[in-house]
Amino acid sequence: ILIENAYFIPDRTIITALMRAARRGVKVTVITNSIETNDISGMQPLSRYAYLPLIKNGVEVYEWQGIVPGQGSLHSKLAVIDGKVTVIGSFNLDPRSININSEDAVLIDSIEVAARLTEYIEDVDIKNSKKISVEQAARWRKPKTINEKFRLKFGMVMKAWY
C-alpha cells in the first residue's frame, strides 16, 4: 500500500486498517507534506499526531521536503494497492474531505498504471522526502512547548474544518 496525500489526517478507521495491513506483512508507505511544504501549517500537528501508532506498527511515514527543499507543496491524493489498483483524485485523508467537501476519486485497475506511478514515487518523491523515525513521532505525539501544545489542542478542536 502506497499512499501519497497532501493533507493526511487519518481517522481511527484508516489508522487501524493501515496498522493491520502492516502487521500482516504488507508494506505500507505514507508520504505527506512536511511543515515546510504544507500550505496549511495548522494541519501539520494533526498529521504528525497520527504517525506514532502507524510507525510502531510497521508503517513507513515520510514527509515530503520539496524538489527544492522547503519550496512547493505536495498536492497528490493517491493510493496504490497491491501493485495493481490505483486510486487517484481530489480526496484528502482528512475530516474535511470525508465530511464537508465534494471530492472525487477514480479507481484504475491496471498493473501497468500502478507500476509506473509507484516507480515515479519511489524515484522522485521518496528521494525528496524524509523518513520519520519512531523517536521523532513520539516527540510530536507529546509536544513539550506551550506553543506546540496549543497548536495541537487547537488543531484537534478545529480538525473538522481543516
Side-chain angles (χ1 to χ4, degrees), residues 18-19 22 28-30 51 53-61:
L18 295 175
M19 291 187 314
V28 181
T29 304
V30 173
Y51 295 171
L54 292 169
I55 293 169
K56 279 186 167 182
N57 282 277
V59 175
E60 293 183 353
V61 178

Side-chain angles (χ1 to χ4, degrees), residues 54-103:
L54 292 169
I55 293 169
K56 279 186 167 182
N57 282 277
V59 175
E60 293 183 353
V61 178
Y62 292 83
E63 286 188 347
W64 194 67
Q65 304 299 302
I67 292 173
V68 175
Q71 293 185 11
S73 181
L74 176 77
H75 209 62
S76 301
K77 292 114 174 145
L78 63 90
V80 177
I81 302 158
D82 295 336
K84 59 183 175 181
V85 175
T86 301
V87 180
I88 192 164
S90 65
F91 201 95
N92 288 297
L93 292 176
D94 68 352
R96 187 171 182 90
S97 292
I98 293 168
N99 300 314
I100 298 171
N101 293 351
S102 175
E103 305 285 1

